[in-house]
Amino acid sequence: MSGLLRNTNKPVKIRGCNETGKYGIAAKDMKELLKKACKILQLPSAGAHISLYADGTIVTEDFFQTLPDNTELVLLRRDETWSGAVSDIGQLLSTDRHADALVEAAKGLLSDEPSPKRRKILTDLLHNLQDTSEVEKREDDEDWFTGVDTRFKTKSAYMKFNCGSRIRSYMKELDAATKTIQRAAVRAEFLKTTKCLAEMLRSAKHNGSYFDRTEKEAHRLCTAAGWFTCQGSFDQEVCRSFHSINPYGSRESRILFSTWNLDHRIEKKRTIIPALLEALQSHKSAEVNLDYFYHLLFTRDNLKLVHIVCHKKEAHHLQCDANEIFNAAGDKRKGKGKKRPLM
């Protein structure tokens, strides 16, 4: 039986360590397989060896005879090793710019793949391979700007506007709080406060720089290439799921990025605005530390960029710092009267 196996050609698929293309070869034993494979892949035969593509197991003569037909193998030089399919992932991650052949190969696999799970993996792979983040101007990437107002000529300009719009919207909740104030004197002081905060925000250009990759590193939340990393939920130091996204890379990524949130660690509606209202019950707006409230409401001092999965909606139970609510004049007045609990 063993003699019959050795005299029967076994079909296999073989590729090189750094290649994606596979070649069909039929051989009766390892000697013939190595000879044919080295010739096709144009590798020196001295020291050449073969491993299983799936897990990197070295193929010996006895092992070769037990392999099923069309097993995928990898031909290696003397100094090369193969760790299995994970080696392909490592090579992919080490490549900044992907060859068109790799994109076409992924498309080919996708067209013939019946498994929904593997189709999803291939679709995500293609999505990341077909990245145009290096392009900035509208004229060079019209698809990215689909649905974006024509006044925006660059990706960075739109992303800056997008961030500014998000942060500017926080003023609406401040304005809404005005309607809850019963006492006219307190309402007047609150209006002065919101006006000052709005002016501070305008002078900072609504902190739109957070999403602008052309800004200096200290002023943005992304890399120079446009990659954003989730900063984790309000009660975590980092994102344990390693969420990341580059909205500069494609129209789909830009749209998906809209689901990411700038989350207030100390909550805006539950804590910051009530604390500000409480402070103005017995103090003038000039006595309130507006710089402190500005940073809590509108800056990365209190904002965390989070993936939608990391955005926890429950109460954060974090309070404003009682020592920061009033400026020097306000602190002096507060010392004369009865302290009010923060809401």
Side-chain angles (χ1 to χ4, degrees):
M1 183 70 175
S2 60
L4 178 62
L5 285 172
R6 285 194 293 272
N7 289 311
T8 301
N9 283 339
K10 181 187 295 293
V12 298
K13 294 180 180 179
I14 195 140
R15 52 170 281 184
C17 181
N18 298 311
E19 298 182 16
T20 57
K22 291 178 261 187
Y23 300 88
I25 296 178
K28 65 178 182 294
D29 53 32
M30 281 298 295
K31 182 178 179 180
E32 184 179 6
L33 178 61
L34 280 167
K35 181 179 179 180
K36 289 183 175 181
C38 288
K39 182 177 180 180
I40 290 175
L41 295 172
Q42 299 182 344
L43 292 181
S45 59
H49 53 290
I50 290 175
S51 292
L52 282 181
Y53 170 78
D55 62 11
T57 301
I58 295 176
V59 179
T60 62
E61 179 63 45
D62 290 340
F63 188 30
F64 173 72
Q65 297 300 335
T66 68
L67 295 177
D69 289 354
N70 298 310
T71 297
E72 292 189 33
L73 305 173
V74 182
L75 177 65
L76 303 164
R77 293 182 175 87
R78 183 192 301 275
D79 58 346
E80 289 180 330
T81 59
W82 184 258
S83 301
V86 70
S87 295
D88 269 347
I89 298 174
Q91 291 175 14
L92 185 62
L93 291 175
S94 67
T95 305
D96 290 327
R97 296 183 64 85
H98 306 281
D100 291 341
L102 186 55
V103 174
E104 292 306 315
K107 286 181 178 178
L109 289 171
L110 182 60
S111 64
D112 297 327
E113 180 53 64
S115 166
K117 180 178 180 180
R118 288 193 289 269
R119 286 181 67 85
K120 175 63 167 62
I121 293 172
L122 286 168
T123 299
D124 289 345
L125 174 62
L126 272 172
H127 171 68
N128 285 285
L129 290 176
Q130 296 173 312
D131 178 273
T132 60
S133 58
E134 75 279 1
V135 178
E136 176 70 12
K137 296 181 180 179
R138 176 185 282 268
E139 61 199 56
D140 297 324
D141 193 357
E142 288 287 347
D143 182 66
W144 192 93
F145 286 89
T146 301
V148 174
D149 194 288
T150 55
R151 74 178 185 271
F152 298 106
K153 305 303 181 186
T154 66
K155 294 178 180 179
S156 295
Y158 173 75
M159 292 299 295
K160 186 171 188 173
F161 170 80
N162 179 272
C163 182
S165 295
R166 293 195 194 194
I167 294 178
R168 187 167 58 247
S169 69
Y170 304 155
M171 284 299 305
K172 293 179 181 179
E173 291 185 53
L174 277 172
D175 293 338
T178 306
K179 300 175 183 178
T180 68
I181 303 173
Q182 301 298 318
R183 293 167 53 195
V186 175
R187 189 183 309 113
E189 292 301 322
F190 189 77
L191 288 171
K192 290 180 185 177
T193 299
T194 57
K195 182 178 179 180
C196 288
L197 289 171
E199 289 175 353
M200 293 168 72
L201 188 57
R202 277 194 297 271
S203 67
K205 298 181 180 179
H206 305 103
N207 293 317
S209 62
Y210 292 165
F211 290 178
D212 183 357
R213 65 178 178 180
T214 65
E215 287 282 349
K216 294 180 179 179
E217 184 175 359
H219 299 154
R220 52 179 160 82
L221 291 172
C222 61
T223 68
W227 281 98
F228 291 83
T229 300
C230 174
Q231 296 176 317
S233 59
F234 76 93
D235 55 351
Q236 295 178 350
E237 291 296 323
V238 295
C239 172
R240 296 175 182 172
S241 300
F242 304 103
H243 295 125
S244 62
I245 190 171
N246 189 340
Y248 289 84
S250 68
R251 180 168 64 92
E252 182 177 341
S253 292
R254 170 175 63 79
I255 294 170
L256 287 173
F257 186 64
S258 66
T259 66
W260 285 48
N261 293 277
L262 284 169
D263 186 30
H264 289 81
R265 289 186 68 253
I266 300 175
E267 296 171 280
K268 174 174 74 272
K269 195 169 184 177
R270 286 192 179 109
T271 306
I272 303 172
I273 294 177
L276 180 58
L277 286 169
E278 180 68 17
L280 290 170
Q281 295 297 319
S282 58
H283 290 75
K284 300 291 185 182
S285 59
E287 297 170 334
V288 174
N289 186 353
L290 295 187
D291 187 64
Y292 174 63
F293 282 101
Y294 167 80
H295 280 85
L296 287 182
L297 287 166
F298 306 117
T299 78
R300 59 196 298 184
D301 286 1
N302 189 46
L303 292 172
K304 296 188 76 174
L305 180 67
V306 294
H307 185 281
I308 189 171
V309 172
C310 293
H311 187 204
K312 295 182 179 179
K313 298 294 184 67
E314 70 264 23
H316 295 184
H317 301 295
L318 297 174
Q319 301 299 317
C320 296
D321 185 345
N323 296 318
E324 295 288 344
I325 290 177
F326 300 100
N327 56 32
D331 280 334
K332 186 175 180 180
R333 278 198 59 199
K334 187 178 74 168
K336 294 180 179 180
K338 184 179 179 180
K339 292 185 179 181
R340 295 172 177 267
L342 293 181
M343 296 175 65

